[in-house]
Amino acid sequence: MEQTSLISPPEDQLLLYEKQFKALADQKRLQILYYIVQKNSICVCDLCEVMDMPQSKLSYHLKILLDANLITKDAKGTWSYYQLNEAPIHQLLSPKLCSLFQVNR
C-alpha cells in the first residue's frame, strides 16, 4: 500500500473558523446579526429592546461575536454601536475555506 504524506491545514486559520462557526451556532447571536444587518449600525440600547434581553446577557452574546471578528463596535458617548464586519462574514463560505475540503487528485 502506498503511503502519502498529508499537509496540515494552517492551525491559526482553523482556530479562527472554529471560533466563528461557534459564534454563529446560536439562535440569539444569529438574530443579533440579522438586526445589525437590517440597520447597518445599531445601538446596544435598541438591541436590548428588540431582543427583549437585559443588557448584561446581550453583552455576553455581543462579546462572542466581537471575539470572532464578525462584528465591530463603535463607542459614541455612553452608547456602543455595532456593525457587521463584512470581510470575515464573506470569507466563511468563501472558496478559501471550501478549498480545505476539496479532494486534490
Side-chain angles (χ1 to χ4, degrees):
M1 179 179 271
E2 185 179 314
Q3 192 174 29
T4 60
S5 60
L6 297 176
I7 300 170
S8 297
E11 188 70 24
D12 59 334
Q13 194 65 46
L14 291 178
L15 290 172
L16 178 60
Y17 284 134
E18 177 184 25
K19 186 181 276 192
Q20 290 173 329
F21 281 113
K22 281 184 179 180
L24 293 173
D26 180 273
Q27 185 177 0
K28 292 293 184 190
R29 290 191 286 274
L30 290 172
Q31 283 180 296
I32 291 167
L33 286 173
Y34 181 80
Y35 291 128
I36 289 172
V37 168
Q38 280 189 341
K39 292 290 187 177
N40 223 13
S41 178
I42 192 166
C43 176
V44 70
C45 58
D46 294 332
L47 274 173
C48 285
E49 186 178 319
V50 74
M51 294 290 298
D52 192 29
M53 185 183 293
Q55 186 170 347
S56 59
K57 189 162 181 128
L58 183 60
S59 293
Y60 166 78
H61 289 292
L62 290 168
K63 173 135 177 49
I64 291 171
L65 292 168
L66 280 167
D67 289 347
N69 200 29
L70 298 175
I71 61 173
T72 60
K73 178 172 95 169
D74 185 25
K76 294 180 184 174
T78 58
W79 295 109
S80 294
Y81 290 80
Y82 294 88
Q83 302 84 28
L84 187 69
N85 194 357
E86 291 185 30
I89 293 287
H90 292 298
Q91 287 177 358
L92 281 177
L93 296 177
S94 71
K96 183 178 180 179
L97 172 64
C98 294
S99 71
L100 291 175
F101 306 106
Q102 291 176 344
V103 178
N104 296 324
R105 297 179 194 245

XYZ file of all heavy atoms in Angstrom:
855
model
N 0.846 -1.181 0.000
C 0.000 0.000 0.000
C 0.888 1.240 0.000
O 1.807 1.340 0.795
C -0.912 -0.025 1.234
C -1.800 1.182 1.329
S -2.878 1.141 2.748
C -4.257 0.294 2.031
N 0.597 2.156 -0.883
C 1.391 3.372 -1.000
C 0.982 4.360 0.082
O -0.203 4.608 0.314
C 1.163 3.992 -2.372
C 2.039 5.182 -2.632
C 1.797 5.739 -4.019
O 1.744 4.949 -4.989
O 1.652 6.959 -4.113
N 1.973 4.932 0.756
C 1.697 5.891 1.818
C 1.895 7.301 1.278
O 2.888 7.571 0.601
C 2.631 5.645 3.000
C 2.227 6.401 4.224
C 3.087 6.007 5.409
O 4.230 5.636 5.252
N 2.519 6.080 6.586
N 0.940 8.151 1.526
C 1.043 9.533 1.074
C 1.244 10.439 2.270
O 0.744 10.167 3.361
C -0.230 9.979 0.319
O -1.342 9.869 1.207
C -0.464 9.144 -0.913
N 1.977 11.508 2.070
C 2.152 12.463 3.159
C 1.016 13.479 3.100
O 0.577 13.888 2.023
C 3.498 13.158 3.049
O 3.576 13.852 1.836
N 0.551 13.841 4.250
C -0.552 14.795 4.344
C -0.012 16.151 4.756
O 0.879 16.254 5.588
C -1.586 14.319 5.366
C -2.281 13.010 5.049
C -3.198 12.611 6.193
C -3.078 13.132 3.768
N -0.575 17.177 4.178
C -0.202 18.544 4.519
C -1.203 19.053 5.541
O -2.415 18.978 5.329
C -0.211 19.441 3.264
C 0.785 18.908 2.243
C 0.103 20.879 3.635
C 0.682 19.562 0.890
N -0.693 19.556 6.637
C -1.563 20.076 7.685
C -2.147 21.417 7.268
O -1.446 22.256 6.697
C -0.785 20.254 8.986
O -0.326 19.021 9.445
N -3.424 21.610 7.587
C -4.018 22.925 7.297
C -3.434 23.960 8.256
O -2.934 23.614 9.328
C -5.510 22.706 7.550
C -5.578 21.538 8.460
C -4.377 20.692 8.188
N -3.506 25.233 7.897
C -2.966 26.282 8.783
C -3.753 26.336 10.101
O -4.955 26.602 10.108
C -3.118 27.565 7.978
C -4.080 27.241 6.878
C -4.067 25.761 6.676
N -3.069 26.063 11.190
C -3.701 25.963 12.513
C -4.420 27.249 12.921
O -5.533 27.209 13.423
C -2.645 25.598 13.558
C -3.211 25.277 14.917
C -3.986 23.961 14.968
O -3.739 23.081 14.131
O -4.828 23.820 15.849
N -3.784 28.391 12.690
C -4.403 29.654 13.096
C -5.699 29.918 12.333
O -6.671 30.416 12.894
C -3.434 30.826 12.939
C -2.924 31.002 11.513
O -2.890 30.014 10.752
O -2.555 32.139 11.159
N -5.725 29.544 11.066
C -6.941 29.730 10.274
C -8.046 28.796 10.751
O -9.208 29.189 10.842
C -6.654 29.500 8.791
C -7.748 29.995 7.882
C -7.920 31.502 7.926
O -6.953 32.242 7.872
N -9.134 31.962 8.019
N -7.689 27.571 11.087
C -8.683 26.621 11.607
C -9.270 27.105 12.926
O -10.477 26.992 13.154
C -8.063 25.239 11.788
C -7.701 24.487 10.512
C -7.052 23.159 10.867
C -8.908 24.274 9.628
N -8.436 27.662 13.788
C -8.918 28.168 15.076
C -9.880 29.336 14.883
O -10.887 29.446 15.583
C -7.744 28.566 15.966
C -6.906 27.417 16.487
C -5.647 27.940 17.194
C -7.711 26.529 17.417
N -9.568 30.211 13.937
C -10.457 31.336 13.656
C -11.801 30.846 13.121
O -12.855 31.295 13.575
C -9.814 32.306 12.668
C -10.685 33.499 12.259
C -11.059 34.348 13.464
C -9.970 34.333 11.200
N -11.772 29.914 12.160
C -13.025 29.370 11.638
C -13.823 28.691 12.741
O -15.041 28.828 12.814
C -12.767 28.378 10.501
C -12.394 29.025 9.196
C -11.326 28.545 8.458
C -13.111 30.099 8.681
C -10.979 29.126 7.233
C -12.768 30.677 7.474
C -11.708 30.191 6.763
O -11.374 30.771 5.555
N -13.156 27.973 13.616
C -13.845 27.311 14.719
C -14.561 28.337 15.595
O -15.736 28.176 15.941
C -12.851 26.509 15.562
C -13.496 25.846 16.762
C -12.479 25.125 17.645
O -11.289 25.488 17.634
O -12.899 24.203 18.348
N -13.866 29.412 15.933
C -14.446 30.465 16.768
C -15.640 31.113 16.066
O -16.675 31.376 16.673
C -13.380 31.512 17.083
C -13.830 32.566 18.063
C -12.742 33.583 18.321
C -11.809 33.056 19.376
N -10.888 34.086 19.881
N -15.508 31.350 14.759
C -16.585 31.999 14.026
C -17.803 31.098 13.905
O -18.937 31.542 14.094
C -16.081 32.430 12.647
C -15.102 33.580 12.737
C -14.468 33.929 11.418
O -14.271 33.079 10.557
N -14.100 35.187 11.259
N -17.601 29.829 13.600
C -18.742 28.924 13.489
C -19.414 28.698 14.838
O -20.638 28.590 14.916
C -18.338 27.600 12.840
C -18.228 27.691 11.337
C -17.004 27.561 10.709
C -19.346 27.927 10.562
C -16.902 27.653 9.324
C -19.262 28.023 9.174
C -18.029 27.888 8.558
N -18.633 28.658 15.907
C -19.233 28.544 17.242
C -20.073 29.782 17.551
O -21.149 29.673 18.142
C -18.155 28.353 18.305
C -17.635 26.950 18.388
C -16.633 26.811 19.522
C -16.130 25.389 19.628
N -15.151 25.242 20.722
N -19.578 30.947 17.153
C -20.327 32.187 17.383
C -21.643 32.174 16.624
O -22.661 32.676 17.112
C -19.489 33.395 16.975
N -21.645 31.578 15.445
C -22.857 31.537 14.622
C -23.800 30.399 15.004
O -24.937 30.371 14.549
C -22.478 31.407 13.147
C -21.762 32.610 12.544
C -21.296 32.288 11.136
C -22.639 33.844 12.573
N -23.345 29.498 15.835
C -24.143 28.320 16.185
C -25.065 28.599 17.364
O -25.245 27.762 18.243
C -23.226 27.139 16.498
N -25.653 29.778 17.381
C -26.564 30.160 18.456
C -27.667 31.026 17.852
O -27.377 32.013 17.156
C -25.803 30.938 19.537
C -26.692 31.349 20.675
O -27.322 32.429 20.586
O -26.790 30.585 21.652
N -28.898 30.669 18.129
C -30.039 31.378 17.540
C -30.060 32.851 17.935
O -30.355 33.720 17.109
C -31.341 30.697 17.949
C -32.550 31.301 17.284
C -33.836 30.578 17.641
O -33.826 29.612 18.391
N -34.928 31.045 17.101
N -29.761 33.174 19.181
C -29.784 34.573 19.632
C -28.740 35.402 18.896
O -28.999 36.532 18.477
C -29.541 34.667 21.144
C -30.652 34.106 21.975
C -31.904 34.932 21.841
C -32.984 34.394 22.759
N -34.272 35.006 22.514
N -27.540 34.837 18.709
C -26.500 35.578 18.008
C -26.840 35.755 16.534
O -26.533 36.786 15.930
C -25.143 34.907 18.215
C -24.655 35.070 19.655
C -23.228 34.659 19.839
N -23.008 33.237 19.824
C -23.113 32.433 20.889
N -23.446 32.926 22.063
N -22.870 31.144 20.785
N -27.504 34.772 15.944
C -27.964 34.926 14.561
C -29.015 36.033 14.464
O -29.017 36.820 13.508
C -28.521 33.608 14.028
C -27.487 32.511 13.777
C -28.177 31.196 13.449
C -26.515 32.902 12.678
N -29.888 36.114 15.460
C -30.878 37.199 15.484
C -30.186 38.548 15.612
O -30.557 39.507 14.937
C -31.838 37.023 16.658
C -32.887 35.973 16.456
C -33.789 35.880 17.679
O -33.329 35.518 18.762
N -35.043 36.214 17.496
N -29.190 38.629 16.476
C -28.443 39.878 16.651
C -27.829 40.306 15.323
O -27.945 41.463 14.918
C -27.363 39.721 17.742
C -28.025 39.571 19.119
C -26.392 40.899 17.728
C -27.086 39.106 20.224
N -27.191 39.376 14.632
C -26.598 39.689 13.328
C -27.658 40.150 12.334
O -27.437 41.085 11.557
C -25.850 38.479 12.774
C -24.520 38.155 13.436
C -23.977 36.841 12.907
C -23.520 39.280 13.236
N -28.806 39.517 12.374
C -29.904 39.882 11.481
C -30.308 41.346 11.706
O -30.451 42.112 10.750
C -31.088 38.946 11.722
C -32.273 39.225 10.843
C -32.307 38.775 9.523
C -33.362 39.936 11.325
C -33.400 39.026 8.715
C -34.465 40.200 10.522
C -34.476 39.746 9.224
O -35.554 40.006 8.413
N -30.462 41.744 12.969
C -30.853 43.123 13.266
C -29.745 44.110 12.907
O -30.018 45.204 12.427
C -31.237 43.276 14.737
C -32.522 42.560 15.084
C -32.579 41.673 16.149
C -33.684 42.760 14.344
C -33.754 41.002 16.462
C -34.856 42.096 14.645
C -34.890 41.227 15.712
O -36.055 40.573 16.026
N -28.498 43.721 13.124
C -27.382 44.591 12.765
C -27.377 44.831 11.256
O -27.208 45.962 10.796
C -26.046 43.998 13.245
C -25.953 44.080 14.773
C -24.863 44.723 12.596
C -24.755 43.358 15.372
N -27.594 43.790 10.476
C -27.610 43.913 9.014
C -28.764 44.804 8.575
O -28.615 45.643 7.675
C -27.692 42.528 8.349
C -27.999 42.638 6.867
C -26.390 41.761 8.564
N -29.924 44.665 9.208
C -31.082 45.481 8.834
C -30.826 46.971 9.043
O -31.256 47.795 8.244
C -32.312 45.074 9.653
C -32.996 43.854 9.151
C -34.318 43.632 9.875
O -34.570 44.156 10.960
N -35.166 42.841 9.261
N -30.154 47.310 10.139
C -29.952 48.716 10.488
C -28.609 49.269 10.022
O -28.388 50.471 10.111
C -30.066 48.904 12.012
C -31.450 48.677 12.550
C -32.350 49.784 12.093
C -33.706 49.671 12.757
N -34.571 50.762 12.398
N -27.702 48.408 9.588
C -26.351 48.809 9.192
C -25.478 49.122 10.408
O -24.319 48.789 10.442
C -26.382 49.981 8.229
C -25.420 49.830 7.091
O -24.883 48.752 6.862
N -25.198 50.908 6.380
N -26.039 49.816 11.376
C -25.374 50.126 12.636
C -26.477 50.260 13.675
O -27.454 50.970 13.439
C -24.589 51.431 12.519
O -23.987 51.753 13.743
N -26.322 49.569 14.798
C -27.386 49.603 15.786
C -26.805 49.775 17.187
O -25.764 49.207 17.510
C -28.282 48.340 15.689
C -29.559 48.490 16.514
C -27.513 47.093 16.057
C -30.628 47.451 16.216
N -27.488 50.567 17.962
C -27.085 50.840 19.344
C -27.464 49.659 20.234
O -28.494 49.019 20.023
C -27.792 52.101 19.817
S -27.474 52.509 21.544
N -26.634 49.416 21.216
C -26.918 48.328 22.146
C -28.266 48.554 22.845
O -28.996 47.598 23.114
C -25.761 48.134 23.156
C -25.668 49.286 24.138
C -25.885 46.820 23.882
N -28.627 49.804 23.078
C -29.910 50.091 23.729
C -31.084 49.636 22.853
O -32.072 49.103 23.353
C -30.028 51.570 24.072
S -29.884 52.679 22.662
N -30.964 49.827 21.538
C -32.008 49.374 20.621
C -32.038 47.855 20.509
O -33.102 47.250 20.383
C -31.818 49.997 19.235
C -32.030 51.505 19.244
O -32.800 51.999 20.090
O -31.401 52.183 18.411
N -30.866 47.240 20.553
C -30.810 45.780 20.515
C -31.469 45.171 21.751
O -32.158 44.161 21.655
C -29.358 45.291 20.420
C -28.764 45.201 19.033
C -27.282 44.880 19.108
C -29.489 44.168 18.196
N -31.254 45.776 22.908
C -31.885 45.285 24.146
C -33.398 45.259 23.999
O -34.050 44.292 24.382
C -31.508 46.168 25.336
S -29.853 45.949 25.937
N -33.923 46.317 23.420
C -35.369 46.435 23.258
C -35.909 45.409 22.268
O -36.859 44.684 22.555
C -35.727 47.850 22.791
C -37.203 48.112 22.732
C -37.501 49.543 22.314
O -36.803 50.457 22.791
O -38.437 49.723 21.511
N -35.304 45.328 21.090
C -35.812 44.440 20.054
C -35.583 42.962 20.410
O -36.385 42.103 20.051
C -35.222 44.798 18.672
C -33.777 44.386 18.540
C -36.044 44.204 17.564
N -34.507 42.676 21.133
C -34.211 41.295 21.520
C -34.937 40.905 22.803
O -34.952 39.746 23.172
C -32.699 41.105 21.723
C -31.855 41.242 20.478
S -32.049 39.903 19.302
C -31.506 38.491 20.244
N -35.509 41.903 23.486
C -36.166 41.673 24.774
C -35.220 40.900 25.701
O -35.555 39.832 26.229
C -37.491 40.930 24.591
C -38.336 40.939 25.866
O -38.219 41.905 26.651
O -39.095 39.969 26.080
N -34.033 41.489 25.869
C -32.973 40.839 26.619
C -32.265 41.886 27.480
O -32.042 43.004 27.014
C -31.988 40.229 25.607
C -30.879 39.415 26.176
S -29.741 38.837 24.865
C -30.783 37.707 23.959
N -31.928 41.545 28.708
C -31.182 42.510 29.523
C -29.802 42.787 28.911
O -29.224 41.929 28.228
C -31.041 41.823 30.881
C -31.434 40.414 30.685
C -32.187 40.298 29.406
N -29.287 43.983 29.171
C -28.028 44.384 28.557
C -26.878 43.451 28.949
O -26.001 43.179 28.130
C -27.683 45.825 28.921
C -26.458 46.320 28.170
C -26.240 47.794 28.312
O -27.100 48.530 28.771
N -25.073 48.250 27.903
N -26.886 42.921 30.159
C -25.805 42.034 30.591
C -25.752 40.768 29.733
O -24.683 40.328 29.312
C -25.957 41.668 32.063
O -27.196 41.025 32.293
N -26.914 40.189 29.457
C -26.967 38.975 28.635
C -26.631 39.301 27.173
O -25.935 38.546 26.503
C -28.343 38.324 28.747
C -28.400 36.973 28.095
C -29.575 36.182 28.586
C -29.569 34.837 27.930
N -29.668 33.753 28.840
N -27.131 40.418 26.694
C -26.836 40.842 25.331
C -25.341 41.105 25.161
O -24.744 40.710 24.153
C -27.640 42.099 24.988
C -27.490 42.635 23.579
C -27.922 41.601 22.547
C -28.290 43.913 23.420
N -24.719 41.708 26.156
C -23.282 41.983 26.101
C -22.472 40.697 25.986
O -21.446 40.661 25.307
C -22.841 42.771 27.332
O -23.394 44.056 27.313
N -22.932 39.651 26.646
C -22.278 38.343 26.556
C -22.261 37.863 25.100
O -21.224 37.457 24.573
C -23.007 37.338 27.455
C -22.641 35.900 27.188
C -21.455 35.359 27.668
C -23.482 35.080 26.441
C -21.117 34.036 27.413
C -23.156 33.761 26.175
C -21.972 33.247 26.669
O -21.642 31.945 26.415
N -23.400 37.929 24.439
C -23.509 37.484 23.044
C -22.707 38.399 22.109
O -22.050 37.918 21.179
C -24.966 37.431 22.601
C -25.740 36.327 23.233
N -25.509 34.999 22.963
C -26.751 36.352 24.136
C -26.337 34.243 23.664
N -27.104 35.052 24.380
N -22.751 39.691 22.351
C -22.003 40.631 21.521
C -20.499 40.395 21.652
O -19.762 40.482 20.670
C -22.362 42.069 21.891
C -23.771 42.511 21.489
C -24.128 43.829 22.158
C -23.900 42.612 19.973
N -20.037 40.079 22.842
C -18.610 39.810 23.052
C -18.162 38.592 22.245
O -17.081 38.596 21.658
C -18.318 39.595 24.528
C -16.888 39.144 24.805
C -16.275 39.880 25.931
C -14.881 39.429 26.288
N -13.925 39.285 25.235
N -18.991 37.564 22.198
C -18.656 36.376 21.417
C -18.552 36.731 19.932
O -17.622 36.318 19.241
C -19.680 35.254 21.661
C -19.518 34.730 23.089
C -19.535 34.130 20.643
C -20.593 33.770 23.531
N -19.487 37.534 19.448
C -19.447 37.959 18.042
C -18.243 38.865 17.757
O -17.616 38.762 16.707
C -20.748 38.665 17.669
C -21.996 37.771 17.627
C -23.266 38.611 17.534
C -21.913 36.781 16.472
N -17.917 39.727 18.719
C -16.738 40.586 18.580
C -15.456 39.763 18.576
O -14.568 39.979 17.750
C -16.684 41.613 19.719
C -17.577 42.838 19.586
C -17.658 43.584 20.918
C -17.076 43.757 18.491
N -15.354 38.825 19.507
C -14.156 37.979 19.597
C -13.962 37.124 18.344
O -12.842 36.782 17.992
C -14.210 37.081 20.835
C -14.020 37.852 22.133
O -13.601 39.032 22.079
O -14.295 37.275 23.201
N -15.064 36.793 17.692
C -14.992 36.018 16.446
C -14.755 36.930 15.244
O -14.693 36.457 14.113
C -16.276 35.218 16.259
N -14.652 38.228 15.494
C -14.386 39.218 14.448
C -15.519 39.306 13.423
O -15.302 39.659 12.275
C -13.052 38.924 13.754
C -12.494 40.128 13.037
O -12.736 41.256 13.431
N -11.763 39.893 11.966
N -16.739 38.995 13.855
C -17.889 39.038 12.953
C -18.595 40.389 12.979
O -19.327 40.729 12.056
C -18.866 37.919 13.291
C -18.295 36.508 13.134
C -19.298 35.479 13.617
C -17.890 36.254 11.696
N -18.395 41.147 14.058
C -18.965 42.488 14.169
C -17.878 43.433 14.679
O -16.846 42.988 15.191
C -20.201 42.540 15.104
C -19.848 42.106 16.529
C -21.349 41.718 14.541
C -20.971 42.303 17.541
N -18.141 44.719 14.517
C -17.256 45.741 15.071
C -18.080 46.628 15.993
O -19.310 46.667 15.910
C -16.614 46.599 13.964
O -17.645 47.246 13.213
C -15.740 45.753 13.047
N -17.383 47.334 16.866
C -18.051 48.196 17.842
C -17.487 49.598 17.732
O -16.279 49.786 17.609
C -17.821 47.641 19.248
C -18.420 48.486 20.350
C -18.325 47.781 21.692
C -17.103 48.211 22.440
N -17.104 47.752 23.837
N -18.393 50.576 17.783
C -18.012 51.973 17.741
C -18.679 52.665 18.923
O -19.911 52.696 19.003
C -18.473 52.588 16.410
C -18.024 54.015 16.232
O -17.006 54.407 16.835
O -18.695 54.749 15.479
N -17.883 53.181 19.842
C -18.427 53.869 21.020
C -18.696 55.330 20.676
O -17.827 56.026 20.146
C -17.460 53.769 22.183
N -19.918 55.756 20.952
C -20.314 57.154 20.753
C -20.934 57.622 22.063
O -22.075 57.279 22.371
C -21.309 57.277 19.601
C -20.720 56.929 18.247
C -21.746 57.066 17.147
C -21.146 56.618 15.828
N -22.127 56.602 14.761
N -20.172 58.384 22.809
C -20.651 58.820 24.118
C -20.750 57.622 25.048
O -19.811 56.844 25.184
N -21.908 57.459 25.644
C -22.096 56.355 26.600
C -22.611 55.086 25.937
O -22.721 54.059 26.591
C -23.087 56.766 27.712
O -24.322 57.139 27.107
C -22.539 57.918 28.529
N -22.930 55.163 24.641
C -23.506 54.002 23.962
C -22.531 53.386 22.966
O -21.693 54.075 22.405
C -24.795 54.385 23.219
C -25.872 54.802 24.159
C -26.355 56.064 24.341
C -26.586 53.974 25.064
N -27.328 56.064 25.298
C -27.497 54.792 25.767
C -26.561 52.618 25.371
C -28.356 54.305 26.735
C -27.420 52.127 26.342
C -28.303 52.967 27.004
N -22.698 52.106 22.756
C -21.907 51.380 21.762
C -22.806 51.019 20.583
O -23.938 50.583 20.773
C -21.336 50.103 22.366
O -20.404 50.413 23.370
N -22.277 51.215 19.406
C -22.979 50.880 18.163
C -22.231 49.738 17.482
O -21.005 49.740 17.434
C -23.057 52.092 17.235
C -23.987 53.162 17.751
C -23.585 54.055 18.735
C -25.289 53.255 17.278
C -24.448 55.026 19.221
C -26.157 54.224 17.751
C -25.725 55.095 18.726
O -26.585 56.046 19.205
N -22.980 48.795 16.954
C -22.396 47.596 16.371
C -22.702 47.540 14.883
O -23.799 47.891 14.454
C -22.931 46.349 17.070
C -22.483 46.301 18.509
C -23.231 46.908 19.515
C -21.287 45.689 18.859
C -22.795 46.888 20.826
C -20.852 45.659 20.163
C -21.605 46.268 21.144
O -21.171 46.255 22.441
N -21.694 47.112 14.119
C -21.825 46.960 12.677
C -21.309 45.575 12.299
O -20.490 44.984 13.012
C -20.972 47.994 11.912
C -21.258 49.442 12.207
C -20.516 49.942 13.450
O -19.471 49.449 13.799
N -21.103 50.909 14.121
N -21.774 45.095 11.160
C -21.299 43.831 10.623
C -19.883 44.018 10.094
O -19.592 45.008 9.434
C -22.221 43.382 9.486
C -21.978 41.990 8.916
C -22.365 40.942 9.939
C -22.781 41.809 7.644
N -19.016 43.096 10.400
C -17.664 43.089 9.834
C -17.741 42.205 8.594
O -17.654 40.983 8.680
C -16.663 42.553 10.857
C -15.244 42.835 10.461
O -14.988 43.381 9.400
N -14.321 42.459 11.319
N -17.952 42.829 7.457
C -18.324 42.107 6.240
C -17.272 41.133 5.721
O -17.606 40.040 5.279
C -18.710 43.099 5.141
C -20.013 43.807 5.440
C -20.468 44.708 4.316
O -20.157 44.400 3.148
O -21.135 45.710 4.608
N -16.013 41.497 5.760
C -14.971 40.634 5.180
C -14.956 39.242 5.820
O -14.991 38.235 5.102
C -13.608 41.304 5.269
N -14.924 39.132 7.147
C -14.927 37.788 7.736
C -16.214 37.006 7.453
O -16.164 35.793 7.255
C -14.782 38.043 9.239
C -14.166 39.382 9.338
C -14.687 40.159 8.162
N -17.339 37.693 7.387
C -18.599 37.018 7.077
C -18.524 36.417 5.672
O -18.888 35.265 5.455
C -19.796 37.989 7.171
C -20.030 38.447 8.603
C -21.062 37.381 6.578
C -20.622 37.431 9.538
N -18.015 37.190 4.725
C -17.931 36.712 3.344
C -16.899 35.591 3.189
O -17.022 34.761 2.299
C -17.629 37.856 2.390
C -18.757 38.836 2.282
N -20.002 38.500 1.808
C -18.836 40.142 2.614
C -20.793 39.548 1.843
N -20.121 40.557 2.328
N -15.906 35.561 4.057
C -14.874 34.528 3.973
C -15.339 33.184 4.523
O -14.756 32.157 4.195
C -13.618 34.964 4.720
C -12.856 36.042 3.996
C -11.656 36.514 4.784
O -11.403 36.067 5.885
N -10.914 37.436 4.217
N -16.368 33.185 5.353
C -16.791 31.933 5.981
C -17.183 30.861 4.969
O -16.908 29.685 5.181
C -17.951 32.169 6.952
C -17.541 32.729 8.299
C -18.765 32.994 9.157
C -16.582 31.817 9.021
N -17.815 31.248 3.899
C -18.192 30.274 2.877
C -17.460 30.556 1.573
O -17.932 30.229 0.496
C -19.707 30.277 2.667
C -20.502 29.843 3.894
C -21.993 29.941 3.635
C -20.130 28.436 4.321
N -16.305 31.137 1.710
C -15.510 31.507 0.549
C -14.808 30.296 -0.050
O -14.695 29.248 0.587
C -14.447 32.526 0.976
O -13.459 31.887 1.767
N -14.308 30.442 -1.257
C -13.514 29.365 -1.854
C -12.299 29.001 -1.001
O -11.877 27.863 -0.985
C -13.081 29.949 -3.206
C -14.139 30.966 -3.522
C -14.555 31.539 -2.188
N -11.773 29.987 -0.252
C -10.612 29.718 0.608
C -10.945 28.658 1.653
O -10.192 27.717 1.866
C -10.148 31.009 1.276
C -8.912 30.841 2.121
C -8.484 32.167 2.701
C -7.240 32.006 3.551
N -6.794 33.276 4.109
N -12.097 28.811 2.312
C -12.500 27.805 3.303
C -12.883 26.507 2.616
O -12.460 25.429 3.029
C -13.666 28.305 4.155
C -14.298 27.266 5.087
C -13.310 26.793 6.132
C -15.541 27.814 5.730
N -13.671 26.607 1.580
C -14.132 25.399 0.886
C -12.965 24.600 0.317
O -13.036 23.370 0.235
C -15.128 25.768 -0.212
S -16.659 26.463 0.462
N -11.882 25.264 -0.047
C -10.729 24.550 -0.603
C -10.085 23.620 0.420
O -9.406 22.665 0.049
C -9.700 25.535 -1.149
O -9.060 26.220 -0.094
N -10.297 23.872 1.686
C -9.777 22.965 2.723
C -10.401 21.586 2.627
O -9.835 20.604 3.084
C -10.032 23.532 4.118
C -9.242 24.774 4.530
C -9.734 25.258 5.889
C -7.761 24.490 4.567
N -11.576 21.507 2.014
C -12.316 20.250 1.980
C -12.443 19.675 0.583
O -13.220 18.762 0.373
C -13.701 20.460 2.609
C -13.609 21.041 3.985
C -13.932 22.353 4.223
C -13.155 20.263 5.038
C -13.819 22.893 5.493
C -13.027 20.798 6.312
C -13.365 22.120 6.542
N -11.699 20.219 -0.361
C -11.714 19.677 -1.714
C -10.644 18.605 -1.843
O -9.538 18.742 -1.294
C -11.461 20.769 -2.742
C -12.594 21.761 -2.859
C -12.278 22.881 -3.825
O -11.137 23.089 -4.195
N -13.311 23.606 -4.233
N -10.976 17.564 -2.542
C -10.030 16.483 -2.785
C -9.185 16.852 -3.992
O -9.722 17.117 -5.067
C -10.763 15.145 -3.016
C -9.769 14.053 -3.316
C -11.620 14.808 -1.808
N -7.889 16.914 -3.802
C -6.965 17.187 -4.914
C -6.477 15.861 -5.462
O -5.791 15.121 -4.777
C -5.791 18.042 -4.446
C -6.233 19.399 -3.995
O -7.154 19.977 -4.567
N -5.607 19.949 -2.964
N -6.809 15.577 -6.672
C -6.404 14.307 -7.287
C -5.474 14.566 -8.430
O -5.498 15.442 -9.144
C -7.620 13.516 -7.753
C -8.464 13.149 -6.570
C -9.680 12.379 -7.047
N -10.626 12.321 -5.966
C -10.988 11.204 -5.357
N -10.498 10.073 -5.708
N -11.861 11.233 -4.396
